Amino acid sequence: ADSGENVKKVIAAYEKVAAVDPSNFEALSKIGEYSFLYGHAYAANREEGDQYYLKSITWCEKAMYTNPEFKKYVDQGKTLWEAADALTARELAPMYWWYDSVGLYWNDLNAFSRLLNFSWPKRSNIILKRMRTIQPDWHQGRIHMAWGIYYCVLPGFLGGDVKKAEENFTRAVKLGPDALVNFYNRAKYLQVKKGDKEAFKKDLEYVLSKNP
């Protein structure tokens, strides 16, 4: 899957699996993951990106719903974040891609819409906290990276904190020194937030120096 069109083909292939086996966790989770990837990396514009973020959110929720305990709480009327304590290490991938998709979808809103939907960062933070409780060092520091972004994106009155962001990016890089996304996002969020042009340049030059 080395292009946007090929990522779409991967999604379509997993959708065929899910059509005949609606409880196939791997297929549901991968549709969520690759929908996020397409929306973030290949979408032609913000509108298309948001469509794929929403698609990712939907399929990640379906993947989480295959957890019997989580399903029981949701069927009783609890929301995803209210039932989050039932989620386990098995569901970390769909939890993570759900969190990323919610965050980027919210971040794409205009300032007024963000204020109208100010509860979403709090809700997604519950999922982020649950992931940290389950396995904080998961997937080459992705959860620490997510915390770093969280503290950079949110304004101070909603919990933004540059010092905490820096601490989390440092942990992420230590756990995933070969995970280029840690350096890319540290440049995009932390170094821009700090206005540190040299550090921004250093992180991105490191990414460019690596063989994809």
Short mmCIF file of all heavy atoms in Angstrom, two decimals, residues 138-192:
data_model
loop_
_atom_site.label_atom_id
_atom_site.label_comp_id
_atom_site.label_asym_id
_atom_site.label_seq_id
_atom_site.Cartn_x
_atom_site.Cartn_y
_atom_site.Cartn_z
N TRP A 138 3.26 1.22 24.66
CA TRP A 138 2.80 0.49 23.48
C TRP A 138 3.31 1.09 22.17
O TRP A 138 3.40 2.31 22.02
CB TRP A 138 1.27 0.49 23.50
CG TRP A 138 0.60 -0.16 22.32
CD1 TRP A 138 0.43 -1.50 22.12
CD2 TRP A 138 -0.03 0.50 21.21
NE1 TRP A 138 -0.26 -1.72 20.93
CE2 TRP A 138 -0.55 -0.51 20.36
CE3 TRP A 138 -0.19 1.84 20.85
CZ2 TRP A 138 -1.22 -0.21 19.18
CZ3 TRP A 138 -0.86 2.14 19.68
CH2 TRP A 138 -1.37 1.12 18.86
N HIS A 139 3.66 0.21 21.26
CA HIS A 139 3.91 0.54 19.85
C HIS A 139 4.91 1.68 19.66
O HIS A 139 4.59 2.72 19.09
CB HIS A 139 2.58 0.88 19.18
CG HIS A 139 2.60 0.77 17.67
ND1 HIS A 139 3.44 -0.08 17.00
CD2 HIS A 139 1.86 1.41 16.72
CE1 HIS A 139 3.23 0.04 15.69
NE2 HIS A 139 2.26 0.94 15.50
N GLN A 140 6.13 1.46 20.16
CA GLN A 140 7.24 2.41 19.96
C GLN A 140 6.93 3.83 20.48
O GLN A 140 7.30 4.83 19.87
CB GLN A 140 7.60 2.49 18.47
CG GLN A 140 8.15 1.18 17.92
CD GLN A 140 8.47 1.28 16.45
OE1 GLN A 140 7.60 1.58 15.63
NE2 GLN A 140 9.72 1.04 16.10
N GLY A 141 6.24 3.86 21.62
CA GLY A 141 6.00 5.14 22.26
C GLY A 141 4.83 5.94 21.74
O GLY A 141 4.69 7.13 22.04
N ARG A 142 3.93 5.29 20.97
CA ARG A 142 2.82 6.03 20.37
C ARG A 142 1.93 6.73 21.40
O ARG A 142 1.42 7.82 21.16
CB ARG A 142 1.93 5.09 19.53
CG ARG A 142 2.55 4.58 18.26
CD ARG A 142 2.80 5.69 17.24
NE ARG A 142 2.92 5.17 15.90
CZ ARG A 142 3.99 4.53 15.42
NH1 ARG A 142 5.03 4.35 16.20
NH2 ARG A 142 4.03 4.09 14.18
N ILE A 143 1.72 6.08 22.54
CA ILE A 143 0.83 6.69 23.54
C ILE A 143 1.48 7.91 24.18
O ILE A 143 0.84 8.94 24.39
CB ILE A 143 0.42 5.64 24.59
CG1 ILE A 143 -0.45 4.56 23.92
CG2 ILE A 143 -0.36 6.29 25.75
CD1 ILE A 143 -0.77 3.37 24.77
N HIS A 144 2.79 7.83 24.44
CA HIS A 144 3.50 9.01 24.95
C HIS A 144 3.48 10.13 23.90
O HIS A 144 3.31 11.31 24.23
CB HIS A 144 4.94 8.66 25.30
CG HIS A 144 5.05 7.69 26.44
ND1 HIS A 144 4.63 8.00 27.72
CD2 HIS A 144 5.54 6.42 26.50
CE1 HIS A 144 4.85 6.97 28.52
NE2 HIS A 144 5.39 6.00 27.80
N MET A 145 3.65 9.75 22.63
CA MET A 145 3.59 10.73 21.55
C MET A 145 2.21 11.41 21.53
O MET A 145 2.10 12.63 21.37
CB MET A 145 3.86 10.06 20.21
CG MET A 145 3.88 11.02 19.02
SD MET A 145 3.81 10.14 17.44
CE MET A 145 2.07 9.66 17.41
N ALA A 146 1.16 10.59 21.70
CA ALA A 146 -0.19 11.13 21.71
C ALA A 146 -0.39 12.12 22.86
O ALA A 146 -1.04 13.16 22.69
CB ALA A 146 -1.21 9.99 21.81
N TRP A 147 0.19 11.80 24.02
CA TRP A 147 0.12 12.74 25.14
C TRP A 147 0.86 14.03 24.81
O TRP A 147 0.42 15.13 25.15
CB TRP A 147 0.71 12.11 26.41
CG TRP A 147 -0.26 11.28 27.17
CD1 TRP A 147 -0.30 9.92 27.26
CD2 TRP A 147 -1.36 11.75 27.98
NE1 TRP A 147 -1.35 9.51 28.04
CE2 TRP A 147 -2.01 10.61 28.51
CE3 TRP A 147 -1.84 13.01 28.30
CZ2 TRP A 147 -3.13 10.71 29.34
CZ3 TRP A 147 -2.96 13.11 29.13
CH2 TRP A 147 -3.58 11.97 29.64
N GLY A 148 2.00 13.89 24.14
CA GLY A 148 2.75 15.08 23.75
C GLY A 148 1.94 16.00 22.86
O GLY A 148 1.90 17.22 23.05
N ILE A 149 1.27 15.41 21.87
CA ILE A 149 0.42 16.19 20.97
C ILE A 149 -0.74 16.80 21.73
O ILE A 149 -1.09 17.97 21.54
CB ILE A 149 -0.09 15.30 19.81
CG1 ILE A 149 1.08 14.82 18.95
CG2 ILE A 149 -1.10 16.07 18.95
CD1 ILE A 149 0.70 13.77 17.92
N TYR A 150 -1.34 16.01 22.61
CA TYR A 150 -2.47 16.46 23.41
C TYR A 150 -2.12 17.74 24.18
O TYR A 150 -2.86 18.73 24.15
CB TYR A 150 -2.87 15.35 24.38
CG TYR A 150 -3.97 15.69 25.35
CD1 TYR A 150 -5.31 15.53 24.99
CD2 TYR A 150 -3.69 16.15 26.63
CE1 TYR A 150 -6.33 15.82 25.88
CE2 TYR A 150 -4.71 16.44 27.53
CZ TYR A 150 -6.03 16.28 27.15
OH TYR A 150 -7.03 16.58 28.04
N TYR A 151 -0.98 17.72 24.84
CA TYR A 151 -0.58 18.88 25.64
C TYR A 151 -0.19 20.08 24.78
O TYR A 151 -0.24 21.22 25.24
CB TYR A 151 0.59 18.51 26.55
CG TYR A 151 0.18 17.65 27.73
CD1 TYR A 151 0.80 16.41 27.96
CD2 TYR A 151 -0.79 18.07 28.63
CE1 TYR A 151 0.43 15.62 29.05
CE2 TYR A 151 -1.16 17.28 29.72
CZ TYR A 151 -0.55 16.07 29.91
OH TYR A 151 -0.92 15.28 30.99
N CYS A 152 0.18 19.84 23.51
CA CYS A 152 0.52 20.95 22.61
C CYS A 152 -0.72 21.59 22.00
O CYS A 152 -0.80 22.81 21.87
CB CYS A 152 1.42 20.45 21.47
SG CYS A 152 3.13 20.15 21.94
N VAL A 153 -1.67 20.76 21.60
CA VAL A 153 -2.84 21.25 20.85
C VAL A 153 -3.84 21.98 21.74
O VAL A 153 -4.39 23.01 21.34
CB VAL A 153 -3.53 20.06 20.14
CG1 VAL A 153 -4.87 20.49 19.57
CG2 VAL A 153 -2.63 19.53 19.03
N LEU A 154 -4.05 21.45 22.93
CA LEU A 154 -5.07 22.07 23.78
C LEU A 154 -4.61 23.40 24.36
O LEU A 154 -3.45 23.55 24.75
CB LEU A 154 -5.43 21.13 24.94
CG LEU A 154 -6.26 19.89 24.61
CD1 LEU A 154 -6.64 19.18 25.89
CD2 LEU A 154 -7.51 20.26 23.83
N PRO A 155 -5.50 24.37 24.44
CA PRO A 155 -5.16 25.62 25.13
C PRO A 155 -4.98 25.36 26.62
O PRO A 155 -5.46 24.35 27.14
CB PRO A 155 -6.37 26.52 24.85
CG PRO A 155 -7.49 25.57 24.55
CD PRO A 155 -6.87 24.38 23.90
N GLY A 156 -4.32 26.26 27.28
CA GLY A 156 -4.01 26.08 28.71
C GLY A 156 -5.23 25.80 29.57
O GLY A 156 -5.18 24.95 30.45
N PHE A 157 -6.35 26.48 29.29
CA PHE A 157 -7.53 26.31 30.15
C PHE A 157 -8.18 24.94 29.98
O PHE A 157 -9.00 24.54 30.78
CB PHE A 157 -8.54 27.43 29.91
CG PHE A 157 -9.29 27.35 28.61
CD1 PHE A 157 -10.51 26.69 28.53
CD2 PHE A 157 -8.78 27.95 27.46
CE1 PHE A 157 -11.21 26.63 27.34
CE2 PHE A 157 -9.47 27.89 26.27
CZ PHE A 157 -10.69 27.23 26.21
N LEU A 158 -7.78 24.20 28.90
CA LEU A 158 -8.29 22.85 28.71
C LEU A 158 -7.25 21.78 29.04
O LEU A 158 -7.49 20.60 28.85
CB LEU A 158 -8.77 22.66 27.26
CG LEU A 158 -10.09 23.30 26.88
CD1 LEU A 158 -10.40 23.07 25.40
CD2 LEU A 158 -11.24 22.75 27.74
N GLY A 159 -6.09 22.22 29.54
CA GLY A 159 -5.08 21.26 29.95
C GLY A 159 -3.78 21.29 29.17
O GLY A 159 -2.88 20.48 29.41
N GLY A 160 -3.63 22.22 28.23
CA GLY A 160 -2.39 22.32 27.47
C GLY A 160 -1.20 22.65 28.37
O GLY A 160 -1.33 23.42 29.32
N ASP A 161 -0.05 22.05 28.08
CA ASP A 161 1.13 22.23 28.94
C ASP A 161 2.38 21.86 28.15
O ASP A 161 2.62 20.69 27.86
CB ASP A 161 1.00 21.32 30.17
CG ASP A 161 2.05 21.60 31.23
OD1 ASP A 161 3.23 21.76 30.87
OD2 ASP A 161 1.70 21.62 32.43
N VAL A 162 3.18 22.86 27.78
CA VAL A 162 4.36 22.63 26.94
C VAL A 162 5.39 21.75 27.65
O VAL A 162 6.01 20.87 27.02
CB VAL A 162 5.01 23.97 26.54
CG1 VAL A 162 6.33 23.74 25.81
CG2 VAL A 162 4.06 24.75 25.63
N LYS A 163 5.59 21.93 28.94
CA LYS A 163 6.56 21.14 29.68
C LYS A 163 6.18 19.65 29.67
O LYS A 163 7.03 18.78 29.43
CB LYS A 163 6.67 21.63 31.12
CG LYS A 163 7.75 20.89 31.93
CD LYS A 163 7.86 21.43 33.34
CE LYS A 163 8.92 20.67 34.13
NZ LYS A 163 9.01 21.17 35.54
N LYS A 164 4.91 19.36 29.91
CA LYS A 164 4.45 17.97 29.89
C LYS A 164 4.54 17.40 28.48
O LYS A 164 4.85 16.22 28.29
CB LYS A 164 3.01 17.88 30.40
CG LYS A 164 2.88 18.11 31.91
CD LYS A 164 1.43 17.97 32.35
CE LYS A 164 1.30 18.18 33.86
NZ LYS A 164 -0.12 18.07 34.30
N ALA A 165 4.28 18.24 27.48
CA ALA A 165 4.40 17.80 26.09
C ALA A 165 5.84 17.37 25.80
O ALA A 165 6.08 16.32 25.21
CB ALA A 165 3.99 18.93 25.16
N GLU A 166 6.77 18.18 26.24
CA GLU A 166 8.19 17.87 26.00
C GLU A 166 8.60 16.58 26.69
O GLU A 166 9.32 15.75 26.11
CB GLU A 166 9.06 19.04 26.49
CG GLU A 166 10.49 18.97 26.01
CD GLU A 166 11.16 20.33 26.02
OE1 GLU A 166 10.68 21.25 26.72
OE2 GLU A 166 12.17 20.47 25.33
N GLU A 167 8.15 16.38 27.91
CA GLU A 167 8.48 15.16 28.65
C GLU A 167 7.95 13.92 27.93
O GLU A 167 8.64 12.90 27.84
CB GLU A 167 7.89 15.23 30.06
CG GLU A 167 8.56 16.26 30.96
CD GLU A 167 7.81 16.48 32.27
OE1 GLU A 167 6.68 15.93 32.41
OE2 GLU A 167 8.33 17.20 33.14
N ASN A 168 6.75 14.01 27.39
CA ASN A 168 6.15 12.86 26.72
C ASN A 168 6.81 12.58 25.38
O ASN A 168 6.99 11.42 25.01
CB ASN A 168 4.64 13.06 26.57
CG ASN A 168 3.88 12.68 27.83
OD1 ASN A 168 3.63 11.50 28.07
ND2 ASN A 168 3.54 13.66 28.64
N PHE A 169 7.16 13.60 24.64
CA PHE A 169 7.86 13.38 23.38
C PHE A 169 9.24 12.76 23.63
O PHE A 169 9.69 11.91 22.86
CB PHE A 169 8.00 14.68 22.59
CG PHE A 169 6.81 14.99 21.72
CD1 PHE A 169 6.03 16.10 21.96
CD2 PHE A 169 6.48 14.15 20.66
CE1 PHE A 169 4.93 16.39 21.16
CE2 PHE A 169 5.38 14.43 19.86
CZ PHE A 169 4.61 15.55 20.10
N THR A 170 9.89 13.17 24.71
CA THR A 170 11.19 12.59 25.06
C THR A 170 11.05 11.10 25.34
O THR A 170 11.86 10.28 24.88
CB THR A 170 11.79 13.30 26.29
OG1 THR A 170 12.01 14.69 25.96
CG2 THR A 170 13.12 12.67 26.69
N ARG A 171 10.00 10.71 26.07
CA ARG A 171 9.75 9.29 26.33
C ARG A 171 9.46 8.54 25.04
O ARG A 171 9.94 7.42 24.84
CB ARG A 171 8.58 9.13 27.30
CG ARG A 171 8.84 9.62 28.71
CD ARG A 171 7.73 9.14 29.64
NE ARG A 171 7.76 9.87 30.91
CZ ARG A 171 6.89 10.82 31.25
NH1 ARG A 171 5.92 11.16 30.42
NH2 ARG A 171 6.98 11.43 32.41
N ALA A 172 8.67 9.14 24.19
CA ALA A 172 8.30 8.49 22.92
C ALA A 172 9.53 8.22 22.07
O ALA A 172 9.71 7.11 21.54
CB ALA A 172 7.31 9.36 22.16
N VAL A 173 10.39 9.20 21.95
CA VAL A 173 11.61 9.05 21.14
C VAL A 173 12.53 8.00 21.74
O VAL A 173 13.16 7.22 21.02
CB VAL A 173 12.32 10.42 21.00
CG1 VAL A 173 13.73 10.24 20.44
CG2 VAL A 173 11.50 11.35 20.11
N LYS A 174 12.60 7.95 23.05
CA LYS A 174 13.44 6.95 23.71
C LYS A 174 12.93 5.54 23.43
O LYS A 174 13.72 4.61 23.20
CB LYS A 174 13.48 7.21 25.22
CG LYS A 174 14.43 6.30 25.98
CD LYS A 174 14.49 6.67 27.46
CE LYS A 174 15.46 5.74 28.20
NZ LYS A 174 15.55 6.11 29.65
N LEU A 175 11.61 5.37 23.46
CA LEU A 175 11.01 4.06 23.21
C LEU A 175 11.00 3.70 21.74
O LEU A 175 11.06 2.51 21.37
CB LEU A 175 9.57 4.03 23.75
CG LEU A 175 9.42 4.02 25.25
CD1 LEU A 175 7.99 4.41 25.64
CD2 LEU A 175 9.75 2.64 25.81
N GLY A 176 10.91 4.71 20.88
CA GLY A 176 10.84 4.45 19.43
C GLY A 176 11.82 5.31 18.65
O GLY A 176 11.40 6.17 17.86
N PRO A 177 13.13 5.07 18.83
CA PRO A 177 14.13 5.88 18.13
C PRO A 177 14.10 5.70 16.61
O PRO A 177 14.64 6.54 15.89
CB PRO A 177 15.46 5.39 18.72
CG PRO A 177 15.17 4.00 19.19
CD PRO A 177 13.76 4.04 19.69
N ASP A 178 13.47 4.63 16.14
CA ASP A 178 13.36 4.40 14.70
C ASP A 178 11.96 4.68 14.18
O ASP A 178 11.69 4.48 12.99
CB ASP A 178 13.74 2.94 14.38
CG ASP A 178 15.18 2.64 14.74
OD1 ASP A 178 16.05 3.50 14.49
OD2 ASP A 178 15.44 1.55 15.30
N ALA A 179 11.07 5.10 15.05
CA ALA A 179 9.70 5.44 14.64
C ALA A 179 9.70 6.91 14.19
O ALA A 179 9.68 7.82 15.02
CB ALA A 179 8.73 5.22 15.79
N LEU A 180 9.74 7.13 12.89
CA LEU A 180 9.89 8.48 12.36
C LEU A 180 8.73 9.39 12.74
O LEU A 180 8.89 10.60 12.82
CB LEU A 180 10.05 8.43 10.85
CG LEU A 180 11.24 7.61 10.34
CD1 LEU A 180 11.36 7.72 8.83
CD2 LEU A 180 12.54 8.04 11.01
N VAL A 181 7.56 8.79 13.01
CA VAL A 181 6.39 9.59 13.38
C VAL A 181 6.62 10.35 14.68
O VAL A 181 6.09 11.45 14.88
CB VAL A 181 5.13 8.69 13.48
CG1 VAL A 181 5.22 7.74 14.66
CG2 VAL A 181 3.87 9.52 13.54
N ASN A 182 7.46 9.79 15.57
CA ASN A 182 7.76 10.49 16.82
C ASN A 182 8.49 11.80 16.56
O ASN A 182 8.20 12.83 17.20
CB ASN A 182 8.62 9.61 17.73
CG ASN A 182 7.85 8.46 18.34
OD1 ASN A 182 6.64 8.54 18.52
ND2 ASN A 182 8.53 7.38 18.67
N PHE A 183 9.41 11.79 15.62
CA PHE A 183 10.19 12.98 15.30
C PHE A 183 9.37 13.97 14.46
O PHE A 183 9.43 15.18 14.67
CB PHE A 183 11.46 12.59 14.55
CG PHE A 183 12.39 11.75 15.36
CD1 PHE A 183 12.26 10.36 15.39
CD2 PHE A 183 13.39 12.33 16.13
CE1 PHE A 183 13.10 9.58 16.16
CE2 PHE A 183 14.24 11.55 16.90
CZ PHE A 183 14.10 10.17 16.92
N TYR A 184 8.60 13.42 13.53
CA TYR A 184 7.74 14.26 12.69
C TYR A 184 6.75 15.05 13.54
O TYR A 184 6.60 16.26 13.40
CB TYR A 184 7.01 13.38 11.68
CG TYR A 184 5.85 14.06 11.00
CD1 TYR A 184 6.05 15.01 10.00
CD2 TYR A 184 4.53 13.77 11.37
CE1 TYR A 184 4.99 15.64 9.39
CE2 TYR A 184 3.46 14.40 10.75
CZ TYR A 184 3.70 15.32 9.76
OH TYR A 184 2.64 15.95 9.17
N ASN A 185 6.07 14.35 14.47
CA ASN A 185 5.07 15.03 15.28
C ASN A 185 5.69 15.93 16.35
O ASN A 185 5.10 16.93 16.73
CB ASN A 185 4.13 14.00 15.93
CG ASN A 185 3.05 13.56 14.97
OD1 ASN A 185 2.50 14.37 14.23
ND2 ASN A 185 2.73 12.28 14.97
N ARG A 186 6.89 15.57 16.81
CA ARG A 186 7.57 16.46 17.75
C ARG A 186 7.88 17.79 17.06
O ARG A 186 7.73 18.87 17.64
CB ARG A 186 8.84 15.83 18.30
CG ARG A 186 9.50 16.70 19.37
CD ARG A 186 10.60 15.96 20.12
NE ARG A 186 11.75 15.66 19.28
CZ ARG A 186 12.87 15.09 19.73
NH1 ARG A 186 12.96 14.75 21.02
NH2 ARG A 186 13.86 14.83 18.92
N ALA A 187 8.31 17.71 15.79
CA ALA A 187 8.58 18.93 15.03
C ALA A 187 7.28 19.71 14.79
O ALA A 187 7.20 20.91 15.04
CB ALA A 187 9.24 18.59 13.71
N LYS A 188 6.27 18.99 14.32
CA LYS A 188 5.01 19.63 13.92
C LYS A 188 4.28 20.30 15.08
O LYS A 188 3.68 21.37 14.90
CB LYS A 188 4.10 18.57 13.29
CG LYS A 188 2.77 19.12 12.80
CD LYS A 188 1.92 18.03 12.15
CE LYS A 188 0.59 18.57 11.67
NZ LYS A 188 -0.24 17.53 11.02
N TYR A 189 4.33 19.67 16.24
CA TYR A 189 3.55 20.19 17.38
C TYR A 189 4.42 20.90 18.42
O TYR A 189 4.21 22.07 18.71
CB TYR A 189 2.74 19.06 18.02
CG TYR A 189 1.66 18.54 17.12
CD1 TYR A 189 1.84 17.37 16.37
CD2 TYR A 189 0.45 19.21 16.99
CE1 TYR A 189 0.84 16.90 15.53
CE2 TYR A 189 -0.56 18.74 16.15
CZ TYR A 189 -0.35 17.59 15.42
OH TYR A 189 -1.33 17.12 14.58
N LEU A 190 5.40 20.18 18.98
CA LEU A 190 6.17 20.76 20.08
C LEU A 190 7.08 21.90 19.63
O LEU A 190 7.06 22.99 20.22
CB LEU A 190 6.98 19.68 20.78
CG LEU A 190 7.84 20.18 21.96
CD1 LEU A 190 6.95 20.73 23.08
CD2 LEU A 190 8.73 19.07 22.49
N GLN A 191 7.88 21.64 18.59
CA GLN A 191 8.85 22.67 18.18
C GLN A 191 8.15 23.90 17.61
O GLN A 191 8.61 25.03 17.82
CB GLN A 191 9.84 22.09 17.15
CG GLN A 191 10.42 20.72 17.49
CD GLN A 191 11.13 20.63 18.84
OE1 GLN A 191 11.05 21.53 19.68
NE2 GLN A 191 11.83 19.53 19.05
N VAL A 192 7.02 23.69 16.94
CA VAL A 192 6.24 24.84 16.45
C VAL A 192 5.64 25.60 17.63
O VAL A 192 5.67 26.84 17.66
CB VAL A 192 5.13 24.37 15.48
CG1 VAL A 192 4.16 25.51 15.20
CG2 VAL A 192 5.75 23.86 14.19
#
